[in-house]
Coordinates of all heavy atoms in Angstrom, one line a residue:
M1 N 19.6 5.6 17.9 CA 19.8 4.3 17.3 C 20.6 4.5 16.0 O 20.3 5.3 15.2 CB 18.5 3.6 17.0 CG 18.6 2.2 16.4 SD 17.0 1.5 16.2 CE 17.5 -0.2 16.3
S2 N 21.6 3.7 15.8 CA 22.4 3.9 14.6 C 22.4 2.5 13.8 O 22.2 1.5 14.4 CB 23.8 4.3 14.9 OG 24.5 3.3 15.7
I3 N 22.7 2.6 12.6 CA 22.8 1.5 11.7 C 24.2 1.4 11.2 O 24.8 2.4 10.9 CB 21.7 1.6 10.6 CG1 21.5 0.3 9.9 CG2 21.9 2.7 9.7 CD1 20.2 0.1 9.1
T4 N 24.7 0.2 11.0 CA 26.1 0.0 10.6 C 26.1 -0.2 9.1 O 25.2 -0.5 8.4 CB 26.7 -1.2 11.3 OG1 26.0 -2.4 10.8 CG2 26.6 -1.1 12.8
H5 N 27.4 -0.1 8.6 CA 27.7 -0.2 7.2 C 27.3 -1.7 6.8 O 26.8 -1.9 5.7 CB 29.1 0.1 6.9 CG 29.5 0.3 5.5 ND1 29.1 1.4 4.8 CD2 30.1 -0.5 4.6 CE1 29.5 1.3 3.5 NE2 30.1 0.1 3.4
D6 N 27.7 -2.6 7.6 CA 27.4 -4.0 7.3 C 25.9 -4.3 7.2 O 25.4 -5.1 6.4 CB 28.0 -5.0 8.4 CG 29.5 -5.0 8.3 OD1 30.1 -4.7 7.2 OD2 30.2 -5.3 9.3
E7 N 25.1 -3.7 8.1 CA 23.7 -3.8 8.1 C 23.1 -3.3 6.8 O 22.2 -3.9 6.2 CB 23.0 -3.2 9.3 CG 23.3 -3.9 10.6 CD 22.9 -3.1 11.8 OE1 22.9 -1.9 11.8 OE2 22.4 -3.8 12.8
I8 N 23.6 -2.2 6.3 CA 23.1 -1.6 5.0 C 23.5 -2.5 3.9 O 22.6 -2.8 3.0 CB 23.8 -0.2 4.8 CG1 23.2 0.8 5.8 CG2 23.6 0.3 3.4 CD1 21.8 1.2 5.6
K9 N 24.7 -3.1 3.9 CA 25.1 -4.0 2.8 C 24.2 -5.3 2.9 O 23.8 -5.8 1.8 CB 26.5 -4.4 3.0 CG 27.5 -3.3 2.6 CD 27.5 -3.1 1.1 CE 28.6 -2.2 0.7 NZ 28.6 -2.0 -0.7
K10 N 23.9 -5.7 4.1 CA 23.0 -6.9 4.2 C 21.6 -6.6 3.7 O 21.0 -7.5 3.0 CB 23.0 -7.4 5.6 CG 22.2 -8.7 5.8 CD 22.2 -9.1 7.3 CE 21.4 -10.4 7.4 NZ 21.4 -10.9 8.8
I11 N 21.0 -5.5 4.1 CA 19.7 -5.1 3.6 C 19.7 -5.0 2.1 O 18.8 -5.5 1.4 CB 19.3 -3.8 4.3 CG1 19.0 -4.0 5.8 CG2 18.0 -3.3 3.6 CD1 18.9 -2.7 6.6
A12 N 20.7 -4.4 1.5 CA 20.8 -4.2 0.1 C 20.9 -5.6 -0.6 O 20.2 -5.8 -1.6 CB 22.0 -3.3 -0.3
H13 N 21.6 -6.5 0.0 CA 21.8 -7.8 -0.6 C 20.4 -8.5 -0.5 O 20.0 -9.2 -1.5 CB 22.8 -8.6 0.2 CG 22.9 -10.1 -0.2 ND1 23.4 -10.5 -1.4 CD2 22.5 -11.2 0.4 CE1 23.3 -11.8 -1.5 NE2 22.8 -12.2 -0.4
L14 N 19.7 -8.5 0.6 CA 18.4 -9.1 0.7 C 17.4 -8.5 -0.3 O 16.5 -9.3 -0.8 CB 17.9 -9.0 2.2 CG 18.7 -9.8 3.2 CD1 18.2 -9.4 4.6 CD2 18.5 -11.3 3.0
A15 N 17.5 -7.2 -0.5 CA 16.6 -6.6 -1.5 C 17.0 -6.7 -2.9 O 16.4 -6.2 -3.8 CB 16.4 -5.1 -1.1
R16 N 18.2 -7.4 -3.1 CA 18.8 -7.5 -4.4 C 19.0 -6.2 -5.1 O 18.7 -6.0 -6.2 CB 17.9 -8.4 -5.3 CG 17.6 -9.8 -4.8 CD 18.8 -10.6 -4.6 NE 18.5 -12.0 -4.3 CZ 18.7 -12.6 -3.1 NH1 19.1 -11.8 -2.1 NH2 18.5 -13.8 -2.9
I17 N 19.6 -5.3 -4.3 CA 19.9 -3.9 -4.8 C 21.5 -3.8 -4.8 O 22.1 -4.0 -3.7 CB 19.3 -2.8 -3.9 CG1 17.8 -2.9 -3.9 CG2 19.8 -1.5 -4.3 CD1 17.1 -2.0 -2.9
K18 N 22.0 -3.4 -5.9 CA 23.5 -3.2 -5.9 C 23.7 -1.7 -5.4 O 23.1 -0.8 -5.9 CB 24.0 -3.3 -7.4 CG 25.5 -3.2 -7.5 CD 25.9 -3.4 -8.9 CE 27.4 -3.3 -9.0 NZ 27.9 -3.5 -10.4
I19 N 24.6 -1.6 -4.4 CA 24.7 -0.3 -3.8 C 26.2 0.0 -3.7 O 27.0 -0.9 -3.4 CB 24.1 -0.3 -2.4 CG1 24.1 1.1 -1.8 CG2 24.7 -1.3 -1.5 CD1 23.2 1.1 -0.5
T20 N 26.6 1.2 -4.0 CA 28.0 1.6 -3.9 C 28.3 2.1 -2.5 O 27.4 2.2 -1.7 CB 28.3 2.8 -4.9 OG1 27.5 3.9 -4.5 CG2 27.9 2.4 -6.3
E21 N 29.6 2.3 -2.3 CA 30.0 2.7 -0.9 C 29.4 4.1 -0.6 O 29.0 4.4 0.5 CB 31.6 2.8 -0.8 CG 32.2 1.4 -1.0 CD 31.8 0.5 0.2 OE1 31.7 0.9 1.3 OE2 31.6 -0.7 -0.1
E22 N 29.4 5.0 -1.6 CA 28.9 6.3 -1.4 C 27.4 6.3 -1.1 O 26.8 7.0 -0.2 CB 29.1 7.2 -2.6 CG 30.6 7.5 -2.9 CD 31.3 6.4 -3.6 OE1 30.6 5.6 -4.4 OE2 32.5 6.3 -3.5
E23 N 26.7 5.4 -1.8 CA 25.2 5.2 -1.6 C 25.0 4.6 -0.2 O 24.0 5.0 0.5 CB 24.6 4.4 -2.7 CG 24.6 5.0 -4.1 CD 24.2 4.0 -5.2 OE1 24.4 2.8 -5.1 OE2 23.6 4.5 -6.1
A24 N 25.8 3.7 0.2 CA 25.7 3.1 1.5 C 25.9 4.1 2.6 O 25.1 4.2 3.6 CB 26.7 2.0 1.7
D25 N 26.9 5.0 2.4 CA 27.1 6.1 3.4 C 25.9 7.0 3.5 O 25.4 7.4 4.6 CB 28.4 6.8 3.1 CG 29.6 6.0 3.3 OD1 29.5 5.0 4.0 OD2 30.6 6.3 2.6
A26 N 25.4 7.4 2.4 CA 24.2 8.3 2.3 C 23.0 7.6 2.9 O 22.2 8.3 3.7 CB 23.9 8.7 0.9
T27 N 22.8 6.3 2.7 CA 21.7 5.6 3.2 C 21.8 5.5 4.7 O 20.8 5.5 5.4 CB 21.6 4.2 2.6 OG1 21.5 4.4 1.1 CG2 20.4 3.4 3.0
I28 N 23.0 5.3 5.2 CA 23.2 5.2 6.7 C 22.7 6.5 7.3 O 22.0 6.5 8.3 CB 24.7 4.9 7.0 CG1 25.0 3.5 6.7 CG2 25.0 5.2 8.5 CD1 26.5 3.1 6.8
K29 N 23.1 7.6 6.8 CA 22.7 8.9 7.3 C 21.2 9.1 7.3 O 20.6 9.5 8.3 CB 23.3 10.1 6.5 CG 24.8 10.2 6.8 CD 25.3 11.4 6.0 CE 26.8 11.5 6.1 NZ 27.4 12.6 5.3
K30 N 20.5 8.7 6.2 CA 19.1 8.9 6.1 C 18.4 7.9 7.0 O 17.4 8.3 7.8 CB 18.6 8.6 4.6 CG 19.1 9.7 3.7 CD 18.6 9.3 2.3 CE 19.2 10.3 1.3 NZ 18.8 10.0 -0.1
L31 N 18.7 6.6 7.0 CA 18.1 5.7 7.9 C 18.3 6.0 9.4 O 17.4 5.8 10.2 CB 18.5 4.3 7.6 CG 17.9 3.6 6.3 CD1 18.5 2.2 6.1 CD2 16.4 3.6 6.4
S32 N 19.5 6.4 9.7 CA 19.8 6.8 11.1 C 18.9 8.0 11.5 O 18.4 8.0 12.7 CB 21.3 7.1 11.3 OG 22.0 6.0 11.1
G33 N 18.7 8.9 10.7 CA 17.9 10.1 11.0 C 16.4 9.6 11.2 O 15.7 10.1 12.1
I34 N 15.9 8.7 10.3 CA 14.6 8.2 10.5 C 14.4 7.4 11.8 O 13.5 7.6 12.5 CB 14.2 7.3 9.3 CG1 14.1 8.2 8.0 CG2 12.9 6.6 9.5 CD1 14.0 7.4 6.7
L35 N 15.4 6.6 12.1 CA 15.3 5.8 13.3 C 15.4 6.7 14.6 O 14.7 6.4 15.6 CB 16.4 4.7 13.3 CG 16.3 3.6 12.3 CD1 17.5 2.7 12.3 CD2 15.0 2.8 12.5
N36 N 16.2 7.7 14.5 CA 16.3 8.7 15.6 C 15.0 9.4 15.8 O 14.6 9.7 17.0 CB 17.5 9.7 15.4 CG 18.8 9.0 15.6 OD1 18.9 8.0 16.3 ND2 19.8 9.5 14.9
L37 N 14.4 9.8 14.7 CA 13.1 10.5 14.8 C 12.0 9.5 15.5 O 11.2 10.0 16.3 CB 12.6 10.9 13.4 CG 11.2 11.6 13.3 CD1 11.2 12.9 14.1 CD2 10.9 11.8 11.9
I38 N 12.0 8.3 15.1 CA 11.1 7.3 15.7 C 11.4 7.2 17.2 O 10.4 7.1 18.0 CB 11.2 6.0 15.0 CG1 10.7 6.1 13.5 CG2 10.5 4.9 15.7 CD1 10.9 4.9 12.7
E39 N 12.6 7.1 17.6 CA 12.9 7.0 19.0 C 12.4 8.3 19.7 O 11.9 8.2 20.9 CB 14.5 6.9 19.2 CG 15.0 5.5 18.8 CD 14.4 4.4 19.6 OE1 14.2 4.5 20.8 OE2 14.1 3.4 19.0
D40 N 12.6 9.5 19.2 CA 12.1 10.7 19.8 C 10.6 10.7 19.9 O 10.0 11.1 20.9 CB 12.5 11.9 19.0 CG 14.0 12.2 19.0 OD1 14.7 11.6 19.9 OD2 14.5 13.0 18.2
M41 N 9.9 10.2 18.9 CA 8.5 10.1 18.9 C 8.0 9.1 20.0 O 6.9 9.3 20.6 CB 7.9 9.7 17.5 CG 8.1 10.8 16.5 SD 7.7 10.3 14.9 CE 5.9 10.1 15.0
K42 N 8.7 8.1 20.2 CA 8.3 7.1 21.3 C 8.4 7.7 22.7 O 7.7 7.2 23.6 CB 9.3 5.9 21.2 CG 9.0 4.9 20.1 CD 10.0 3.7 20.2 CE 9.7 2.8 19.1 NZ 10.7 1.6 19.1
K43 N 9.2 8.7 22.8 CA 9.3 9.4 24.1 C 8.1 10.3 24.5 O 8.0 10.7 25.6 CB 10.6 10.2 24.2 CG 11.9 9.4 24.1 CD 13.1 10.3 24.0 CE 14.3 9.4 23.7 NZ 15.5 10.3 23.5
V44 N 7.3 10.6 23.5 CA 6.2 11.5 23.7 C 5.1 10.8 24.5 O 4.7 9.7 24.2 CB 5.7 12.1 22.4 CG1 4.4 12.9 22.6 CG2 6.7 12.8 21.7
D45 N 4.6 11.5 25.5 CA 3.5 10.9 26.4 C 2.2 11.0 25.6 O 1.7 12.1 25.4 CB 3.4 11.6 27.7 CG 2.3 11.0 28.6 OD1 1.9 9.8 28.4 OD2 1.9 11.7 29.5
T46 N 1.6 9.9 25.2 CA 0.3 9.9 24.5 C -0.8 9.2 25.3 O -1.8 8.8 24.7 CB 0.5 9.2 23.1 OG1 0.9 7.9 23.3 CG2 1.5 10.0 22.3
T47 N -0.7 9.2 26.6 CA -1.7 8.4 27.4 C -3.1 9.0 27.3 O -4.1 8.3 27.3 CB -1.2 8.3 28.9 OG1 -0.9 9.7 29.3 CG2 0.0 7.4 29.0
N48 N -3.2 10.3 27.2 CA -4.6 11.0 27.2 C -5.0 11.4 25.8 O -5.9 12.2 25.6 CB -4.6 12.2 28.1 CG -4.4 11.8 29.6 OD1 -4.9 10.7 30.0 ND2 -3.7 12.6 30.4
I49 N -4.3 10.9 24.8 CA -4.6 11.2 23.4 C -5.4 10.1 22.8 O -5.0 8.9 22.8 CB -3.3 11.5 22.6 CG1 -2.4 12.4 23.3 CG2 -3.6 11.8 21.2 CD1 -2.9 13.8 23.3
S50 N -6.6 10.4 22.3 CA -7.4 9.3 21.6 C -6.9 9.1 20.2 O -6.5 10.1 19.5 CB -8.8 9.7 21.7 OG -9.1 10.9 21.0
P51 N -7.0 7.9 19.7 CA -6.5 7.6 18.3 C -7.4 8.4 17.3 O -8.6 8.6 17.6 CB -6.8 6.1 18.2 CG -6.9 5.6 19.6 CD -7.4 6.7 20.4
M52 N -6.8 8.7 16.2 CA -7.5 9.4 15.1 C -7.5 8.6 13.9 O -6.6 7.9 13.6 CB -6.9 10.8 14.9 CG -6.8 11.7 16.0 SD -5.8 13.1 15.8 CE -6.5 13.9 14.3
S53 N -8.6 8.7 13.1 CA -8.6 8.0 11.8 C -8.2 8.9 10.7 O -7.9 8.4 9.6 CB -10.1 7.5 11.5 OG -10.9 8.6 11.4
H54 N -8.1 10.2 11.0 CA -7.6 11.1 10.0 C -7.0 12.3 10.7 O -7.3 12.6 11.9 CB -8.9 11.6 9.2 CG -8.5 12.3 7.9 ND1 -8.1 13.7 7.9 CD2 -8.4 11.9 6.6 CE1 -7.9 14.0 6.6 NE2 -8.0 12.9 5.8
S55 N -6.1 13.0 10.0 CA -5.3 14.1 10.7 C -6.2 15.3 10.8 O -5.9 16.2 11.6 CB -4.1 14.4 9.9 OG -4.4 14.8 8.6
Q56 N -7.3 15.4 10.1 CA -8.2 16.5 10.2 C -9.6 16.0 10.6 O -9.9 14.9 10.3 CB -8.2 17.3 8.9 CG -6.9 17.9 8.5 CD -7.0 18.5 7.1 OE1 -8.0 18.3 6.4 NE2 -6.0 19.3 6.8
S57 N -10.4 16.9 11.2 CA -11.7 16.6 11.5 C -12.6 16.8 10.3 O -13.3 17.8 10.2 CB -12.2 17.4 12.7 OG -13.5 17.0 13.1
V58 N -12.7 15.8 9.5 CA -13.5 15.9 8.3 C -14.4 14.7 8.2 O -14.2 13.6 8.8 CB -12.6 15.9 7.0 CG1 -11.8 17.2 7.0 CG2 -11.8 14.7 6.9
T59 N -15.5 14.8 7.4 CA -16.4 13.7 7.2 C -16.6 13.5 5.7 O -16.4 14.4 4.9 CB -17.8 14.0 7.8 OG1 -18.3 15.2 7.3 CG2 -17.7 14.1 9.4
Q60 N -16.9 12.3 5.4 CA -17.1 11.9 4.0 C -18.5 12.3 3.5 O -19.5 12.1 4.2 CB -16.9 10.4 3.8 CG -17.1 9.8 2.5 CD -15.8 10.1 1.6 OE1 -14.8 10.4 2.2 NE2 -15.9 10.0 0.3
R61 N -18.5 13.0 2.3 CA -19.8 13.3 1.7 C -20.4 12.0 1.2 O -19.8 11.3 0.5 CB -19.6 14.3 0.6 CG -19.2 15.7 1.1 CD -19.1 16.6 -0.1 NE -18.1 16.1 -1.0 CZ -18.0 16.6 -2.3 NH1 -18.7 17.5 -2.7 NH2 -17.1 16.0 -3.1
L62 N -21.6 11.8 1.6 CA -22.3 10.6 1.1 C -23.4 10.9 0.2 O -24.0 12.0 0.3 CB -22.8 9.8 2.3 CG -21.8 9.4 3.4 CD1 -22.4 8.7 4.5 CD2 -20.7 8.4 2.7
R63 N -23.7 10.0 -0.7 CA -24.8 10.1 -1.6 C -25.9 9.1 -1.3 O -25.6 8.1 -0.6 CB -24.4 10.0 -3.1 CG -23.8 8.6 -3.4 CD -23.6 8.5 -4.9 NE -22.9 7.3 -5.2 CZ -23.5 6.1 -5.3 NH1 -24.7 5.9 -5.0 NH2 -22.8 5.0 -5.6
E64 N -27.1 9.3 -1.7 CA -28.1 8.3 -1.5 C -27.8 7.0 -2.2 O -27.3 7.0 -3.3 CB -29.5 8.8 -1.9 CG -30.0 9.9 -1.1 CD -31.4 10.3 -1.5 OE1 -32.3 9.4 -1.7 OE2 -31.7 11.5 -1.7
D65 N -28.1 5.9 -1.6 CA -27.8 4.6 -2.2 C -29.0 4.2 -3.0 O -29.9 3.4 -2.6 CB -27.5 3.6 -1.1 CG -27.0 2.3 -1.7 OD1 -26.5 2.3 -2.9 OD2 -27.0 1.3 -1.0
I66 N -29.1 4.7 -4.2 CA -30.3 4.4 -5.1 C -29.7 3.9 -6.4 O -28.7 4.3 -6.9 CB -31.2 5.6 -5.3 CG1 -30.4 6.8 -5.8 CG2 -31.9 6.0 -4.0 CD1 -31.3 8.0 -6.2
V67 N -30.5 3.1 -7.1 CA -30.1 2.6 -8.4 C -30.4 3.7 -9.4 O -31.5 4.2 -9.5 CB -30.9 1.3 -8.7 CG1 -30.6 0.8 -10.1 CG2 -30.7 0.2 -7.7
T68 N -29.4 4.0 -10.2 CA -29.6 5.0 -11.3 C -29.5 4.5 -12.7 O -29.7 5.2 -13.6 CB -28.5 6.1 -11.1 OG1 -27.2 5.5 -11.2 CG2 -28.7 6.8 -9.7
E69 N -29.1 3.2 -12.8 CA -29.0 2.6 -14.1 C -29.9 1.4 -14.2 O -30.2 0.7 -13.2 CB -27.5 2.1 -14.4 CG -26.5 3.2 -14.2 CD -25.7 3.4 -15.4 OE1 -25.8 2.6 -16.3 OE2 -25.0 4.4 -15.5
T70 N -30.3 1.1 -15.4 CA -31.2 -0.1 -15.6 C -30.4 -1.4 -15.8 O -29.2 -1.3 -16.2 CB -32.1 0.1 -16.8 OG1 -31.3 0.3 -18.0 CG2 -33.0 1.3 -16.6
N71 N -30.9 -2.5 -15.4 CA -30.3 -3.8 -15.6 C -30.2 -4.1 -17.1 O -31.2 -4.3 -17.7 CB -31.0 -4.9 -14.8 CG -30.3 -6.2 -14.8 OD1 -29.2 -6.3 -15.5 ND2 -30.8 -7.2 -14.1
Q72 N -29.0 -4.2 -17.6 CA -28.8 -4.6 -19.0 C -28.0 -5.9 -19.2 O -27.4 -6.1 -20.2 CB -28.1 -3.4 -19.7 CG -28.8 -2.1 -19.7 CD -28.0 -1.0 -20.4 OE1 -27.2 -1.3 -21.3 NE2 -28.3 0.2 -20.1
R73 N -28.1 -6.8 -18.2 CA -27.3 -8.0 -18.3 C -27.7 -8.8 -19.5 O -26.8 -9.3 -20.2 CB -27.5 -8.8 -17.0 CG -26.7 -10.1 -17.1 CD -26.7 -11.1 -16.0 NE -27.6 -10.8 -14.9 CZ -27.7 -11.6 -13.8 NH1 -27.0 -12.7 -13.8 NH2 -28.6 -11.3 -12.9
A74 N -29.0 -9.0 -19.7 CA -29.4 -9.9 -20.9 C -28.9 -9.3 -22.2 O -28.4 -10.0 -23.0 CB -30.9 -10.0 -20.9
K75 N -29.0 -8.0 -22.3 CA -28.5 -7.3 -23.6 C -27.0 -7.5 -23.7 O -26.5 -7.8 -24.8 CB -28.9 -5.9 -23.5 CG -28.4 -5.1 -24.7 CD -28.7 -3.6 -24.5 CE -28.0 -2.7 -25.5 NZ -28.2 -1.3 -25.2
L76 N -26.3 -7.3 -22.7 CA -24.8 -7.4 -22.7 C -24.3 -8.9 -22.9 O -23.3 -9.1 -23.6 CB -24.2 -6.8 -21.5 CG -24.4 -5.3 -21.3 CD1 -23.9 -4.8 -20.0 CD2 -23.7 -4.5 -22.5
Q77 N -25.1 -9.8 -22.3 CA -24.6 -11.2 -22.5 C -25.0 -11.8 -23.8 O -24.5 -12.9 -24.1 CB -25.2 -12.0 -21.3 CG -24.5 -11.7 -20.0 CD -24.9 -12.6 -18.9 OE1 -25.9 -13.3 -18.9 NE2 -24.0 -12.6 -17.8
K78 N -25.9 -11.2 -24.6 CA -26.2 -11.7 -25.9 C -25.0 -11.7 -26.8 O -24.9 -12.6 -27.7 CB -27.3 -10.8 -26.5 CG -28.7 -11.2 -26.1 CD -29.7 -10.3 -26.9 CE -31.1 -10.6 -26.3 NZ -32.1 -9.7 -27.0
I79 N -24.1 -10.7 -26.6 CA -22.9 -10.7 -27.5 C -21.7 -11.4 -26.9 O -20.7 -11.5 -27.6 CB -22.5 -9.2 -27.7 CG1 -22.2 -8.5 -26.4 CG2 -23.6 -8.4 -28.5 CD1 -21.6 -7.1 -26.5
A80 N -21.8 -12.0 -25.8 CA -20.7 -12.8 -25.2 C -20.7 -14.2 -25.9 O -21.7 -14.8 -26.2 CB -21.0 -13.0 -23.7
P81 N -19.4 -14.7 -26.0 CA -19.3 -16.0 -26.7 C -20.0 -17.1 -25.9 O -20.6 -18.0 -26.5 CB -17.8 -16.2 -26.7 CG -17.2 -14.9 -26.5 CD -18.1 -14.1 -25.7
E82 N -19.9 -17.1 -24.6 CA -20.5 -18.2 -23.8 C -20.9 -17.7 -22.4 O -20.2 -17.0 -21.7 CB -19.6 -19.3 -23.7 CG -20.2 -20.6 -23.1 CD -19.2 -21.7 -23.0 OE1 -18.1 -21.6 -23.5 OE2 -19.5 -22.8 -22.4
V83 N -22.2 -18.0 -22.0 CA -22.7 -17.6 -20.7 C -23.4 -18.8 -20.1 O -23.9 -19.6 -20.8 CB -23.6 -16.4 -20.7 CG1 -22.9 -15.1 -21.1 CG2 -24.8 -16.6 -21.6
S84 N -23.5 -18.8 -18.8 CA -24.2 -19.9 -18.1 C -24.7 -19.4 -16.8 O -23.9 -18.9 -16.0 CB -23.3 -21.1 -17.9 OG -24.0 -22.1 -17.1
G85 N -26.0 -19.4 -16.5 CA -26.5 -18.9 -15.3 C -26.3 -17.5 -15.0 O -26.1 -17.1 -13.8
G86 N -26.2 -16.7 -16.0 CA -26.0 -15.2 -15.8 C -24.5 -14.9 -15.7 O -24.1 -13.7 -15.4
L87 N -23.6 -15.9 -15.8 CA -22.2 -15.6 -15.7 C -21.5 -15.8 -17.0 O -21.9 -16.6 -17.8 CB -21.6 -16.6 -14.7 CG -22.2 -16.6 -13.3 CD1 -21.6 -17.8 -12.5 CD2 -22.0 -15.3 -12.6
Y88 N -20.4 -15.0 -17.2 CA -19.6 -15.2 -18.4 C -18.7 -16.4 -18.3 O -18.0 -16.5 -17.3 CB -18.7 -13.9 -18.7 CG -19.6 -12.7 -19.0 CD1 -20.0 -11.8 -18.0 CD2 -20.0 -12.4 -20.3 CE1 -20.7 -10.7 -18.3 CE2 -20.7 -11.3 -20.6 CZ -21.1 -10.4 -19.6 OH -21.8 -9.3 -19.9
I89 N -18.6 -17.3 -19.3 CA -17.7 -18.4 -19.2 C -16.5 -18.0 -20.1 O -16.6 -17.6 -21.2 CB -18.4 -19.7 -19.8 CG1 -19.8 -19.9 -19.2 CG2 -17.5 -20.9 -19.8 CD1 -19.7 -20.2 -17.7
V90 N -15.3 -18.2 -19.4 CA -14.1 -17.8 -20.1 C -13.2 -19.1 -20.1 O -13.3 -20.0 -19.3 CB -13.4 -16.7 -19.3 CG1 -14.2 -15.4 -19.4 CG2 -13.1 -17.0 -17.9
P91 N -12.2 -19.1 -21.0 CA -11.3 -20.2 -21.0 C -10.4 -20.3 -19.8 O -10.1 -19.3 -19.2 CB -10.4 -19.9 -22.2 CG -11.0 -18.9 -23.0 CD -11.9 -18.1 -22.1
Q92 N -10.1 -21.5 -19.3 CA -9.3 -21.7 -18.2 C -7.9 -21.3 -18.5 O -7.3 -21.7 -19.5 CB -9.3 -23.2 -17.8 CG -8.5 -23.5 -16.5 CD -8.6 -24.9 -16.1 OE1 -9.5 -25.7 -16.6 NE2 -7.8 -25.3 -15.1
V93 N -7.3 -20.5 -17.6 CA -5.9 -20.0 -17.9 C -4.9 -20.6 -16.9 O -3.7 -20.6 -17.1 CB -5.8 -18.5 -17.8 CG1 -6.6 -17.9 -19.0 CG2 -6.4 -17.9 -16.6
I94 N -5.4 -21.1 -15.8 CA -4.5 -21.7 -14.7 C -4.9 -23.2 -14.6 O -6.1 -23.5 -14.4 CB -4.6 -21.0 -13.4 CG1 -4.2 -19.5 -13.6 CG2 -3.8 -21.7 -12.3 CD1 -4.4 -18.7 -12.3
E95 N -4.0 -24.0 -14.7 CA -4.3 -25.5 -14.5 C -4.3 -25.9 -13.1 O -3.7 -25.4 -12.2 CB -3.2 -26.3 -15.2 CG -3.2 -26.0 -16.7 CD -2.2 -26.9 -17.5 OE1 -1.9 -27.9 -17.0 OE2 -1.7 -26.4 -18.5

């Protein structure tokens, strides 16, 4: 699959990117290479391959879900300018 000079210019215009002729030529080569690689990858038979969530067979180390800090909400809200029902009241910024 190849990409044309006009398509590069149109993409650059849509992205609001100023691009020179030399940059357009270099971009054509890079994008064409990427698109060709994608086409090659589409040709690979993956019918018996199961999807993977990670490229390596690793597991996440987990910790126990226990509370390690004490509740200090009342102490912290004493210094707040305004609170209501355990929530901080802030000035409205969006009308």
Side-chain angles (χ1 to χ4, degrees):
M1 180 176 210
S2 64
I3 191 162
T4 66
H5 194 73
D6 290 335
E7 290 171 326
I8 290 292
K9 288 290 193 179
K10 183 177 180 180
I11 292 168
H13 173 73
L14 292 172
R16 303 296 189 255
I17 298 172
K18 186 176 181 179
I19 190 168
T20 65
E21 295 298 320
E22 295 81 27
E23 291 171 330
D25 292 336
T27 304
I28 288 172
K29 288 180 184 177
K30 290 177 185 177
L31 284 178
S32 293
I34 292 169
L35 294 173
N36 289 335
L37 178 62
I38 291 170
E39 289 298 319
D40 290 344
M41 291 173 68
K42 285 182 179 179
K43 294 175 187 174
V44 176
D45 181 20
T46 59
T47 52
N48 295 324
I49 308 294
S50 59
M52 299 170 58
S53 61
H54 196 277
S55 61
Q56 298 176 345
S57 181
V58 295
T59 56
Q60 182 76 19
R61 292 181 301 169
L62 301 176
R63 62 171 174 79
E64 290 186 46
D65 191 16
I66 56 173
V67 177
T68 58
E69 305 237 349
T70 59
N71 184 359
Q72 299 182 22
R73 180 181 4 180
K75 176 184 168 188
L76 296 172
Q77 288 188 341
K78 279 184 186 177
I79 60 174
E82 189 177 354
V83 292
S84 175
L87 303 174
Y88 294 93
I89 306 301
V90 297
Q92 182 176 349
V93 292
I94 299 175
E95 296 181 29

